[in-house]
Amino acid sequence: MNILILTASIGSGHIKAAEAVETELRRLQPGAEITTIDFMARRTSRLHWLMKKCYLIMLAFVPNLYDVFYHLSGGASGGHLVQEAFALVMSPVMRHLARRYQPDLVLCTHPFPEGAAARLKRCGQADYLLAAVMTDYSLHQIWLYEGVDCYFMATEEMREGMMRHGFPSDRLVAVGIPVSGILEDMKDKQGVRRALAIPEGQPAILLMGGGLGLGGIEENLQVLEAIPSRLTLLVVAGRNERLLEKVQDFADASHHQVLVWGYTDQVHFLMRGADLLITKPGALTISEAFVLGLPMLLHDPIPGPETENAIYATHHGAAVWLHPGENMAAAVQSLLQGSRLDTMGVSARQCARPMAAAAIARRLTDMMHMLPQQE
C-alpha cells in the first residue's frame, strides 16, 4: 500500500498533526510505503511557496484583512468560489504527485492539498482514498469538499455541523486533533523542573509564539518584569534570530530567571516543566497543553481560526483569554494565587484527546483493508 500524507508549513500545527498520524500508521502498517510532503514547500512548488510567503506577510502587517478573507470564505457562495480558486491553481502539482507516488490513500492535514486532491477525484483524474484531518476547533467552509472519503475532526459539535451540511455520518469521525504520543509518557514534572534548574516552589511560565517566534514575546517579557516575585520564564524564540538576541539581552538584566531557546524539538519537555503557558492559540499548541494539563493565558489570536480556538479553550475552563488593553502582569499574578491553576489544569485534561492519532491510524487502516488487493 502507498500512503501519501500532504501537509503545509503554514505554522507548525499542520506538520505536527501529520507527523503524529504518520508515526501511528508506521506502527500499524510497517510494510506500507508512507511519504509525507509539505505542499507549500519551495521544492514542491515555487508558486505554492510564494503564496505562503504572501500569506505570512499578510498576517504580519494586515491581520484584519485575513479576518475579512476568513469570514468571506466561510459563506456558502463566497466559500465555494475561494475553494475552487485554490483547488484549480494547485491541481497541477497534485496531479504530478499522484502520478509520481501512485497513492492508494491520500491524507491531508491542510485544506489546500485537500481541495486539490478532491478536485482530481471529482474530475476522474485520480483514484485514491482521500481523508482529511481538520486542525481547528471550529468548522469552516474551506475544509468542506465533495470527494473526501473520511473526515477527522476535533469535536462532536463539528461533526454535527458537517451533518447539517449534508455530509454522511459514516464518513465523519470526531476523535480530537492528533498530537505526539510522547506527551502521554511525560509524567515526571518535578524531574523536568530539576533538569531545567528551576528552584523548588518558583512558578515557571512558558512563552511561545510558534516556529516563527510571533506573538509579541519581547513586549510580554517587559510587562512580566513588573511582577515583583521571582519567576522562571522559559522562552522559545523559534527561528526568529532577532528575538533570540533580544531575549538573551533581557535575561542578563531581568530579576527573573530567564531561559531561552531558538527553534527546538524540546517544546514538549518545556511544556511539562511549566505551570502556565502564554501563547497565541494555535490548535495544535492548545491540544498539546490539554494532554499535559497545562493552563494557558491566550493572547493576540490570528483573526478567524485562532479566535475560535481561544473561545473553545476559554469556554472549557482551560485558558484565560487576554484581550487587547488588559494587563498581562495583573492576569498572571491573579492566576498564580490560590488554586486557580490547579482547577484550570483539571479542565485542560478533561479536553484532552491523547489517542487521536492512534484512532485515526486505525480507521485509515480499516479503510485500506477494504480496498481490492493487487496481484
Side-chain angles (χ1 to χ4, degrees):
M1 290 292 182
N2 292 330
I3 302 174
L4 182 60
I5 302 176
L6 299 177
T7 185
S9 53
I10 303 176
S12 60
H14 306 288
I15 293 176
K16 284 184 176 182
E19 290 173 346
V21 178
E22 179 185 355
T23 297
E24 293 298 325
L25 281 172
R26 290 189 182 281
R27 182 177 63 84
L28 290 179
Q29 301 194 55
E33 291 289 335
I34 304 176
T35 306
T36 298
I37 291 177
D38 178 0
F39 203 63
M40 306 303 288
R42 189 170 187 172
R43 63 180 176 273
T44 304
S45 167
R46 285 180 177 270
L47 176 60
H48 296 184
W49 178 77
L50 286 171
M51 292 173 66
K52 179 180 72 173
K53 297 292 285 186
C54 291
Y55 170 88
L56 295 175
I57 291 171
M58 179 178 70
L59 291 185
F61 293 101
V62 198
N64 288 338
L65 181 62
Y66 179 74
D67 193 23
V68 173
F69 164 78
Y70 181 81
H71 290 290
L72 174 65
S73 62
S77 58
H80 288 305
L81 285 173
V82 171
Q83 285 178 287
E84 286 305 311
F86 279 116
L88 181 63
V89 168
M90 296 181 173
S91 286
V93 173
M94 185 64 231
R95 189 178 300 111
H96 167 73
L97 293 175
R99 288 172 179 168
R100 178 177 178 181
Y101 293 100
Q102 297 291 307
D104 300 292
L105 167 71
V106 175
L107 175 67
C108 301
T109 65
H110 191 278
F112 286 174
E114 177 206 0
R119 187 174 187 276
L120 290 192
K121 284 193 68 175
R122 291 198 310 271
C123 296
Q125 299 179 36
D127 182 23
Y128 39 65
L129 287 173
L130 177 58
V133 176
M134 305 169 78
T135 49
D136 286 307
Y137 281 93
S138 61
L139 190 60
H140 191 271
Q141 176 69 40
I142 199 72
W143 282 98
L144 307 184
Y145 289 94
E146 295 180 11
V148 177
D149 298 290
C150 191
Y151 277 102
F152 300 97
M153 63 221 59
T155 69
E156 186 62 34
E157 290 77 13
M158 293 173 67
R159 182 176 184 272
E160 293 170 358
M162 293 190 70
M163 290 170 62
R164 289 193 293 271
H165 278 81
F167 286 83
S169 60
D170 61 349
R171 295 189 177 192
L172 309 176
V173 187
V175 292
I177 293 176
V179 298
S180 172
I182 294 173
L183 295 170
E184 267 291 89
D185 299 327
M186 301 187 69
K187 307 294 185 184
D188 186 12
K189 180 173 181 175
Q190 293 307 315
V192 172
R193 291 173 64 88
R194 286 192 295 271
L196 292 170
I198 300 172
E200 185 174 352
Q202 183 164 292
I205 300 175
L206 174 60
L207 293 91
M208 298 196 311
L212 298 176
L214 303 175
I217 289 177
E218 187 179 349
E219 293 80 4
N220 293 340
L221 287 172
Q222 296 296 335
V223 171
L224 294 176
E225 187 66 17
I227 297 177
S229 56
R230 195 165 193 258
L231 307 171
T232 295
L233 303 178
L234 310 171
V235 185
V236 178
R239 293 188 173 90
N240 192 330
E241 294 183 4
R242 176 189 171 278
L243 174 63
L244 180 63
E245 293 177 0
K246 289 286 187 180
V247 176
Q248 289 170 337
D249 291 341
F250 173 85
D252 293 337
S254 176
H255 75 282
H256 297 310
Q257 178 188 25
V258 182
L259 307 176
V260 58
W261 289 261
Y263 189 81
T264 175
D265 59 0
Q266 298 299 308
V267 169
H268 295 159
F269 184 77
L270 303 179
M271 292 177 77
R272 176 70 282 185
D275 299 300
L276 176 67
L277 171 61
I278 299 178
T279 186
K280 293 165 60 61
L284 261 291
T285 298
I286 67 174
S287 298
E288 292 170 343
F290 287 160
V291 174
L292 292 171
L294 177 59
M296 291 167 279
L297 182 61
L298 304 175
H299 65 95
D300 295 327
I302 296 173
E306 287 194 353
T307 300
E308 299 294 336
N309 297 339
I311 291 171
Y312 182 87
T314 303
H315 175 73
H316 286 82
V320 170
W321 184 357
L322 192 70
H323 296 276
E326 294 182 313
N327 188 298
M328 177 174 288
V332 169
Q333 287 179 295
S334 175
L335 289 172
L336 293 178
Q337 295 173 359
S339 59
R340 181 80 181 277
L341 289 182
D342 292 335
T343 302
M344 291 172 66
V346 171
S347 298
R349 283 188 288 272
Q350 290 173 345
C351 296
R353 303 295 291 271
M355 305 308 294
I360 292 169
R362 285 195 301 270
R363 177 62 177 257
L364 294 176
T365 297
D366 291 342
M367 289 169 60
M368 295 182 70
H369 284 162
M370 297 177 65
L371 289 173
Q373 297 299 307
Q374 299 178 358
E375 294 296 333

